[in-house]
């Protein structure tokens, strides 16, 4: 089965994030709250360099900004804004960082490296906890301080896994008729990624650099979904803990209205000091949609298959 692929943080995506104005303001406020004059600050995954500049502007004694891509672009932005020599830019993968190479440990870790998808961000959250343990001081502050996930069962109206799977299966016969050969391995490979590609609310036709929202949230249009369950907390990942436990292997839902349950909307909240910095939604379909009535208790499996394909299974009763 295909594994979820990471998201390349291109210049277009960095511009898209900056144009999410409320998100940018919320994160700036969090950094200004976390950084004290004289602090050493590590901006892990600096991107455009915005938060490194904010930390320097707060009076940090030293700011180290690390990214594996586009470091020269971030450095030029800093120079354009009068921060030449005040931020040390390092091109490196975050997993390769060593405190001895960076001049010691850090008082603040800025780790805005999430992709708004729990399937990808589980490993990224594991990395944040590891970075704090290896590179942070005993009381190192992390921005965001925690990631909270909420779960809501729904009927998705704009896309359906069984329908697309059926259309894909029919393409095998179309190709056999056209070319005389069997392309089943190709359609199988495409099928492994169907649910992954349907996880995000952004439309494929949107310009890569243009933000779909100026607010502090990215959600599925409510005209495209019908909510069928209560919204419950699934888990909260605290970045102050010494070890990372990972995401749970199941999610429990309680239906509030009758309908055709097709999947789950995950709400990811990046939080600092109890306040959301950025809220986004992603979607995981059920392997088989299910007719439900109000008051049902459902348990869905978020184990190895979900992690590999984004497809949820039903826990046997």
């Amino acid at each position: 089965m295909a594994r979820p692929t990471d998201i390349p943080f291109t210049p277009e995506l960095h511009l898209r994030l900056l144009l999410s104005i409320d998100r940018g303001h919320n994160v700036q406020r969090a950094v200004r709250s976390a950084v004290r004059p004289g602090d050493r600050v590590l901006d892990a995954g600096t991107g455009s360099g915005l938060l490194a500049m904010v930390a320097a502007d707060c009076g940090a004694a030293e700011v180290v900004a690390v990214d594996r891509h586009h470091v020269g672009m971030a450095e030029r932005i800093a120079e354009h804004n009068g921060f030449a020599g005040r931020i040390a830019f390092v091109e490196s993968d975050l997993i390769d960082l060593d405190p001895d190479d960076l001049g010691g440990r850090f008082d603040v870790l800025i780790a805005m490296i999430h992709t708004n998808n729990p399937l990808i961000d589980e490993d990224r959250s594991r990395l944040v906890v590891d970075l704090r343990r290896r590179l942070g001081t005993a009381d190192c502050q992390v921005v965001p301080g925690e990631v909270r996930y909420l779960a809501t069962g729904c009927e998705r109206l704009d896309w359906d896994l069984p329908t697309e799977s059926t259309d894909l299966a029919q393409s095998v016969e179309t190709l056999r008729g056209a070319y005389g050969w069997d392309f089943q391995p190709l359609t199988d490979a495409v099928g492994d990624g169907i649910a992954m590609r349907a996880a995000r609310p952004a439309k494929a036709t949107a310009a890569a650099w243009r933000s779909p929202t100026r607010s502090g949230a990215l959600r599925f249009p409510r005209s495209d979904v019908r909510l069928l369950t209560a919204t419950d907390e699934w888990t909260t990942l605290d970045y102050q803990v010494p070890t990372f436990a990972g995401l749970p292997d199941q999610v429990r839902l309680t239906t509030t209205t009758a309908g055709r349950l097709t999947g789950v909307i995950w709400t990811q909240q990046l939080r600092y000091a109890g306040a959301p910095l950025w809220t986004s939604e992603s979607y995981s379909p059920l392997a088989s949609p299910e007719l439900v009535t109000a008051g049902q208790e459902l348990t869905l499996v978020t184990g190895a298959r979900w992690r590999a394909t984004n497809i949820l299974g039903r826990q046997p009763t």
Side-chain angles (χ1 to χ4, degrees), residues 11-77:
E12 290 83 0
L13 182 53
H14 291 308
L15 179 56
R16 178 186 177 115
L17 292 173
L18 289 172
L19 289 171
S20 300
I21 303 298
D22 285 356
R23 174 189 185 276
H25 286 168
N26 289 344
V27 178
Q28 283 189 80
R29 282 193 292 270
V31 171
R32 292 188 183 280
S33 175
V35 176
R36 298 160 298 184
D39 278 348
R40 297 192 75 238
V41 178
L42 173 62
D43 185 9
T46 191
S48 65
L50 168 67
L51 300 182
M53 291 189 292
V54 173
D57 194 49
C58 289
E62 187 176 359
V63 180
V64 179
V66 180
D67 213 309
R68 58 185 176 181
H69 301 299
H70 313 300
V71 172
M73 175 192 70
E75 189 165 12
R76 290 193 297 274
I77 292 172

Side-chain angles (χ1 to χ4, degrees), residues 36 104-108 131-142 239-242:
R36 298 160 298 184
R105 293 181 174 270
F106 293 88
D107 303 295
V108 178
L131 288 173
R132 184 185 185 278
R133 178 185 59 80
R134 290 191 296 110
L135 305 177
T137 59
D139 60 349
C140 175
Q141 295 296 302
V142 183
Y239 285 157
Q240 300 300 120
V241 299

Side-chain angles (χ1 to χ4, degrees), residues 138-310:
D139 60 349
C140 175
Q141 295 296 302
V142 183
V143 180
E146 65 182 18
V147 183
R148 179 171 297 172
Y149 288 101
L150 311 176
T152 313
C154 72
E155 178 181 11
R156 188 164 171 182
L157 305 174
D158 67 323
W159 179 83
D160 183 76
L161 177 61
T163 299
E164 185 165 348
S165 297
T166 298
D167 289 346
L168 182 62
Q170 290 173 350
S171 70
V172 175
E173 294 305 316
T174 300
L175 295 173
R176 183 180 289 112
Y179 301 107
W181 289 304
D182 188 349
F183 288 88
Q184 187 72 51
L186 173 60
T187 56
D188 286 346
V190 173
D192 282 349
I194 283 178
M196 290 292 181
R197 291 187 291 274
R200 299 177 183 280
K203 300 297 185 183
T205 55
W209 62 268
R210 184 176 289 117
S211 173
T213 177
R214 290 173 60 88
S215 73
L218 177 61
R219 306 197 314 166
F220 284 92
R222 288 319 188 237
S223 59
D224 291 346
V225 296
R226 181 169 173 254
L227 305 182
L228 300 179
T229 76
T231 297
D232 293 317
E233 181 177 339
W234 182 38
T235 191
T236 295
L237 306 178
D238 182 357
Y239 285 157
Q240 300 300 120
V241 299
T243 58
F244 180 72
L247 297 174
D249 286 331
Q250 60 182 25
V251 58
R252 293 185 175 90
L253 301 170
T254 303
T255 58
T256 55
T257 189
R260 179 174 178 264
L261 183 72
T262 65
V264 170
I265 289 177
W266 308 105
T267 302
Q268 181 194 73
Q269 296 178 345
L270 306 182
R271 302 169 64 87
Y272 183 76
L277 307 179
W278 171 244
T279 299
S280 60
E281 292 181 345
S282 61
Y283 174 80
S284 296
L286 278 171
S288 300
E290 183 172 338
L291 294 177
V292 297
T293 58
Q296 280 187 248
E297 301 286 335
L298 305 172
T299 301
L300 306 179
V301 179
T302 52
R305 184 192 183 192
W306 172 71
R307 285 171 166 82
T309 67
N310 192 35

